[in-house]
Amino acid sequence: MIDFEPTEEQALMVTAVSQLASKLRERIRQTERDHGLPAELRLAAFEMGLGGGVAVPESHGGAGLGLVTAVLLDETLAVGDPAAPFALGGPGALAGALHELGTPAQASEWLGKLSSADRCGAVAWSEPRAHATRAGFCTTATRSGDDWVLSGVKAFVLNADRADAFVVFAQVDEAAGWAGIGAFIVERAATGLTVGERKVTLGLDAVGAFDLKLDGVKVGPAARLAGGEDFCRSALRFFVKEALKVSARAVGLSQAAFDASLEYVTNRRAFGKPIGHFQAVAFTLADRAMDLEAARHMVRRSASLWDAAATGAASERDALLASAQAVSMSLEGAMRAGDDAVQLHGGAGFMRDYPVEKYMRDAKQLGLCSMTKEQADQLGAAVALGVALDPAVVLPTPDLQAVFT
Amino acid sequence: MTIEFTLTKRQEELRSAIGSLARNVIRPQSLGWDRAHGIPEEFLLRFTQMAASMGGTAGAWGVQGLGATGEEASESAEKKKKSGGAMVSTVVAAEELATGDPALLLCLPGPGLGGPPVRGSGTPEQRERFFSVFKDMSAGLKWGAYALTEPGAGSDVAGIRTSCRKEGREWVLNGRKCYITNGARASWNVVFATIDPSLGRAGHRAFVVEKGTPGFSVGKIEDKMGLRASETAELVLEDCRVPEENLLGGEEKYQTKEGFLTAMKTFDNTRPLVAAMAIGIGRAAYEHAVDFVKERYVLSRPIPRYAAIAERLARVGRDLAAARILTLRAAWLADREIANAKEASMAKAAGGQAAIKACMEAIEICGAHGAVAEDQQLLEKWFRDIKVYDIFEGTGQIQRIVISKRLMPDLRSF
Ligand SMILES: Cc1cc2nc3c(=O)[nH]c(=O)nc-3n(C[C@H](O)[C@H](O)[C@H](O)COP(=O)(O)OP(=O)(O)OC[C@H]3O[C@@H](n4cnc5c(N)ncnc54)[C@H](O)[C@@H]3O)c2cc1C
């Protein structure tokens, strides 16, 4: 049955997270300057169950609340500060990677270890450049007896400074191209692992992006994430679900930008009336409202299809297609929302007295954090056309870059 | 209560039955109907009977307000839960049916757009009288219609000039109505007129004007870009004498602004339906383009290179999906009897826009084939049919005005 209404339990959680979001909103500039959330708010978020494991099944050490709950909470939090969901304590994106790629035991172990407001996990997928002569990652994982040795450089690793553990993607079989990739859990303390300088970024300043250097980092056999029957397919699932969470944050951002715009155009007067009472302004607002509503429900619908797919009640194909469309819509929508919010504020929008310039910068950065909308469109078309899902096209390969939290 | 987007089993069955009918039976005939400027009555009759025999209420066939007799006006909460919501079923069905031929929905016998105002504002006696016309169509199909637009007033509904004055026990109407769907064939038209243009909306009155009323005649039948199988008529009212029993709702109804509100209420319910129809046409064009790309690029070239086309296709699919979810939301709110004017307008604006884009992109992606090849002429037809979906039932701009007013309650007008 078609239903747009959250469960009572979800509604209660949303209310609680919404209160936290208001506090985040008050300190949005401080968070940006400090490059991180205020410690007490990070703790508060963690105590509300935010931290990465919301949608991970209990069998894998998560809360088992489903992806719908996860996107509802991320959206709500992002209304307060779009950067906040990236800067929480707990396993973060690593939780999703372990769920899709690891065994229940591996996932439970690491979700348990990272389950604290002061701890953090990170995912290292991207690389500075594509390999010159073959498909796949430049970073390699080679056998040394039972162990694996990782060498290479990963790029744009979000939260690498705070992370206690990483899921690192590397080439296991150099001859096999994208079909030859693998993933490993690497601890922060591992010998040969170094975190580079924090990059200066356009937006989302509450979270840092770093290079991660692996110089002959040795890990045991238990560190390998097997990735189920089809590693690339599992990786795709991970990416798409992660992208949906980022999309939920984009929706939260759009809502915040919309709220700010509506308030401003209602109060700001020109030519004798509120500027919102000019048609060009009002129609802009109406268009953003439409984008926002559509994106919000597309993200929720996609999440609900993944939750249904987990029990066989929906097909993975439907979930993939809906997700690709939701990601494209919400990322594009957030960019428009940020841009129009600045535009409707006029010169004031350019000033840091108002939050809208940050929303605009954050929106651009959000669009580069998991899947880009271009990748989402390629995925959407591939599913619609019924062609085989070529990892080089549907996964964000290093030519295209993706960063994670 | 839980966020979910799967149809009930019943809805899914209906969707797939209507979908296969639309594509296997209706679509092959639709170009012929377009060229003949109409759908044969025997087909309409057979179609209506089939709909009934399949157990679908008229509502479930996407024809609530377009073909319903008005009896299934409201469902109990219990029934709603079981059925998945009448309006949700309606928009789902309407989208499917429109993939076959959009004009069919407009041609179906029944009260049409005239249904909602009679249902919503008519006295019990009027409802009985005007809906009973459609109970027995064995002697011939019957239609109702809705006549608001005039040569001088379309979007600006408050500016209608057709006049009405009371003389004894009759009202005398003078004026012209234009672009009225099924206006000529209708057994009755709901005609909007004003007692005094300077009163604006408060001066509006709605009448049920029956065919054969003295002073009522049909003017020009329009020759249109698209939806050519649907009749669009001009109506002329020259000292047209309407009995006072035909003033919709009776005189006391108009002590307030009700008269105008009656007109508008029609649209809150029909906008999601029109959006769904638009999405159906857009989807037909989109699926056509997907098949074309699959055949011409994916399967027939050693190294398929179509990233740019893939992106265009993906965006068309995405924007249709966005419009569909807005439409479902507006319908879902209607089923729960929650005010949905803003959401209905969002659905209508997004649906028209996405579907027009879909038809334009599809025709470009298929290139010359899309415009001329014999086997592709449906694409050319859909391209012509779709434009009006951003015009009737309130243009895209008017939908944005409705949305703006809901966003900024003290906004007067533009
Ligand atoms: C095939 C077809 C079937 C129809 N069926 C019916 C029917 O059954 N019954 C019926 O009553 N009518 C019917 N109509 C009429 C239809 O509802 C009107 O055409 C429509 O409402 C637009 O009105 P208009 O044509 O007078 O355009 P106008 O109102 O003159 O609008 C012209 C342009 O100006 C824009 N505009 C107008 N006002 C504003 C504003 N305030 N701000 C910004 N932009 C504005 C409009 O968006 C539009 O782009 C039908 C029309 C067609 C084409």
Side-chain angles (χ1 to χ4, degrees):
Chain A
M1 176 165 163
I2 305 275
D3 195 351
F4 287 79
E5 190 134 313
T7 63
E8 245 166 71
E9 191 192 359
Q10 285 166 337
L12 284 173
M13 293 176 81
V14 164
T15 306
V17 172
S18 175
Q19 280 158 7
L20 176 63
S22 305
K23 292 187 190 137
L24 285 164
R25 172 67 185 80
E26 285 161 20
R27 292 161 79 167
I28 197 166
R29 292 298 185 185
Q30 183 198 334
T31 301
E32 190 177 27
R33 265 194 317 275
D34 294 351
H35 291 172
L37 293 183
E40 74 273 20
L41 295 188
R42 183 185 287 166
L43 183 62
F46 183 80
E47 283 170 353
M48 286 180 189
L50 296 163
V54 175
V56 176
E58 284 169 312
S59 58
H60 288 65
L65 296 174
L67 201 56
V68 169
T69 309
V71 297
L72 286 173
L73 300 184
D74 269 17
E75 177 192 325
T76 309
L77 194 63
V79 176
D81 183 346
F86 293 90
L88 302 173
L94 182 135
L98 283 173
H99 168 214
E100 298 299 340
L101 299 165
T103 61
Q106 282 172 316
S108 301
E109 179 192 344
W110 284 97
L111 261 60
K113 281 185 184 168
L114 297 173
S115 178
S116 150
D118 309 322
R119 295 187 156 257
C120 177
V123 173
W125 167 275
S126 297
E127 299 194 341
R129 62 192 62 82
H131 199 282
T133 55
R134 61 161 172 82
F137 289 115
C138 298
T139 301
T140 54
T142 46
R143 282 258 187 214
S144 163
D146 281 347
D147 295 336
W148 292 90
V149 178
L150 304 179
S151 288
V153 180
K154 306 302 282 186
F156 309 122
V157 182
L158 291 187
N159 286 318
D161 55 339
R162 298 195 289 135
D164 302 287
F166 300 85
V167 167
V168 176
F169 287 85
Q171 200 66 24
V172 176
D173 177 352
E174 295 201 41
W178 288 107
I181 64 173
F184 301 85
I185 286 254
V186 182
E187 287 188 65
R188 165 73 178 222
T191 315
L193 182 144
T194 45
V195 174
E197 290 291 298
R198 183 190 165 100
K199 309 271 185 200
V200 177
T201 50
L202 172 69
L204 298 179
D205 292 76
V207 56
F210 305 81
D211 278 349
L212 189 69
K213 295 195 183 67
L214 300 134
D215 189 5
V217 173
K218 192 178 255 186
V219 294
R224 171 112 195 242
L225 304 176
E229 284 186 0
D230 178 346
F231 188 92
C232 280
R233 188 70 177 202
S234 304
L236 179 63
R237 260 197 304 274
F238 158 63
F239 264 99
V240 169
K241 291 184 187 179
E242 213 52 35
L244 275 181
K245 288 186 220 160
V246 172
S247 297
R249 297 167 199 174
V251 170
L253 182 154
S254 301
Q255 180 72 62
F258 178 84
D259 292 344
S261 303
L262 180 58
E263 189 188 330
Y264 193 80
V265 306
T266 309
N267 295 318
R268 173 76 179 174
R269 298 175 73 87
F271 302 97
K273 57 180 179 178
I275 55 172
H277 293 197
F278 290 96
Q279 213 174 65
V281 172
F283 282 15
T284 303
L285 220 50
D287 282 337
R288 295 297 73 81
M290 277 160 65
D291 283 357
L292 173 59
E293 279 301 293
R296 166 178 294 135
H297 297 297
M298 287 169 89
V299 169
R300 294 180 183 180
R301 171 170 180 265
S302 307
S304 81
L305 287 174
W306 282 112
D307 286 342
T311 64
S315 75
E316 190 165 304
R317 181 194 177 275
D318 287 351
L320 278 173
L321 182 58
S323 303
Q325 292 171 337
V327 170
S328 175
M329 187 76 190
S330 51
L331 295 181
E332 197 171 295
M335 197 60 236
R336 280 201 291 254
D339 184 10
D340 281 344
V342 172
Q343 189 67 23
L344 294 181
H345 279 68
F350 203 65
M351 308 301 155
R352 297 204 171 191
D353 296 341
Y354 290 91
V356 289
E357 64 80 30
K358 174 175 150 59
Y359 297 147
M360 185 175 170
R361 287 185 290 113
D362 284 355
K364 194 62 183 172
Q365 188 105 13
L366 266 177
L368 303 167
C369 273
S370 56
M371 275 189 173
T372 63
K373 66 178 192 294
E374 290 77 12
Q375 285 162 350
D377 288 338
Q378 291 302 322
L379 174 64
V383 177
L385 286 166
V387 299
L389 299 181
D390 175 4
V393 176
V394 300
L395 287 177
T397 56
D399 304 302
L400 302 156
Q401 301 300 5
V403 288
F404 279 103
T405 164
Chain B
M1 275 178 285
T2 177
I3 294 177
E4 64 166 280
F5 291 90
T6 42
L7 299 176
T8 62
K9 194 160 166 279
R10 174 93 187 84
Q11 285 171 327
E12 195 54 66
E13 283 166 6
L14 199 66
R15 193 175 78 92
S16 107
I18 296 177
S20 75
L21 188 71
R23 287 178 285 286
N24 302 324
V25 178
I26 296 169
R27 190 180 286 180
Q29 305 186 63
S30 82
L31 265 175
W33 297 340
D34 184 65
R35 287 169 188 158
H37 292 201
I39 301 177
E41 292 213 2
E42 62 268 29
F43 181 87
L44 293 174
L45 185 64
R46 250 191 303 132
F47 182 83
T48 318
Q49 286 163 346
M50 185 164 42
S53 75
M54 282 175 67
T57 63
W61 275 85
V63 290
Q64 192 182 56
L66 290 176
T69 58
E71 283 156 5
E72 57 286 280
S74 64
E75 287 182 319
S76 66
E78 177 64 14
K79 215 172 136 201
K80 225 170 253 174
K81 207 172 153 69
K82 243 170 99 187
S83 73
M87 197 61 196
V88 165
S89 301
T90 298
V91 297
V92 168
E95 178 183 328
E96 287 305 315
L97 208 48
T99 64
D101 185 85
L104 174 59
L105 271 155
L106 302 182
C107 292
L108 290 179
L113 277 179
V118 173
R119 186 152 51 238
S121 304
T123 62
E125 183 272 333
Q126 288 173 330
R127 286 204 295 266
E128 164 58 28
R129 216 176 110 212
F130 297 123
F131 283 129
S132 68
V133 172
F134 309 106
K135 286 230 168 83
D136 179 15
M137 299 205 216
S138 54
L141 301 180
K142 304 269 175 47
W143 291 267
Y146 178 91
L148 179 64
T149 306
E150 302 181 356
S155 303
D156 185 10
V157 172
I160 56 167
R161 288 289 175 276
T162 294
S163 67
C164 58
R165 66 188 145 80
K166 188 99 188 259
E167 271 185 21
R169 308 205 49 202
E170 287 174 338
W171 286 86
V172 182
L173 274 59
N174 275 291
R176 263 165 200 273
K177 295 286 171 183
C178 64
Y179 311 150
I180 308 307
T181 301
N182 296 329
R185 59 173 64 164
S187 300
W188 48 255
N189 274 273
V190 174
V191 172
F192 291 81
T194 174
I195 50 166
D196 177 357
S198 72
L199 292 178
R201 300 160 184 194
H204 285 191
R205 299 290 181 270
F207 300 91
V208 178
V209 178
E210 291 162 281
K211 199 175 202 161
T213 305
F216 171 88
S217 62
V218 173
K220 170 176 174 216
I221 304 290
E222 300 289 343
D223 183 15
K224 305 189 297 302
M225 172 190 192
L227 284 186
R228 292 167 71 84
S230 163
E231 173 191 280
T232 309
E234 182 190 28
L235 307 180
V236 183
L237 302 137
E238 272 170 340
D239 286 332
C240 172
R241 299 191 159 267
V242 180
E244 67 177 0
E245 304 82 61
N246 287 26
L247 174 66
L248 211 48
E251 237 158 303
E252 52 290 6
K253 190 118 196 163
Y254 297 90
Q255 303 314 318
T256 59
K257 280 186 178 172
E258 273 286 298
F260 181 76
L261 293 180
T262 299
M264 286 301 103
K265 258 198 341 230
T266 303
F267 289 131
D268 289 349
N269 280 324
T270 52
R271 279 174 180 161
L273 181 57
V274 173
M277 290 159 65
I279 293 164
I281 307 168
R283 193 182 106 205
Y286 163 72
E287 287 173 353
H288 189 95
V290 166
D291 289 346
F292 181 91
V293 170
K294 206 186 292 184
E295 193 183 311
R296 306 288 175 114
Y297 289 82
V298 180
L299 300 178
S300 65
R301 299 183 187 196
I303 305 171
R305 297 236 184 276
Y306 54 92
I309 286 179
E311 182 172 306
R312 289 171 79 175
L313 272 185
R315 292 191 173 209
V316 167
R318 174 196 80 177
D319 293 348
L320 289 171
R324 185 178 295 117
I325 208 147
L326 291 175
T327 302
L328 283 172
R329 181 160 171 81
W332 177 80
L333 288 169
D335 282 334
R336 307 187 130 213
E337 285 158 33
I338 299 171
N340 73 343
K342 183 176 80 182
E343 290 76 10
S345 282
M346 286 184 173
K348 169 72 172 59
Q353 203 170 287
I356 289 171
K357 187 84 194 294
C359 292
M360 292 201 308
E361 288 282 69
I363 222 162
E364 282 182 29
I365 286 169
C366 300
H369 300 278
V372 298
E374 191 56 38
D375 64 330
Q376 309 268 347
Q377 287 203 346
L378 278 168
L379 207 51
E380 174 273 337
K381 176 183 179 294
W382 293 327
F383 180 87
R384 289 186 288 105
D385 286 343
I386 194 60
K387 181 59 200 170
V388 73
Y389 286 80
D390 204 27
I391 298 176
F392 60 14
E393 306 263 327
T395 64
Q397 286 76 21
I398 297 306
Q399 308 308 334
R400 284 169 175 83
I401 293 178
V402 174
I403 298 165
S404 302
K405 284 185 177 166
R406 293 298 185 291
L407 293 173
M408 294 177 283
D410 55 346
L411 172 66
R412 295 265 55 89
S413 200
F414 292 118

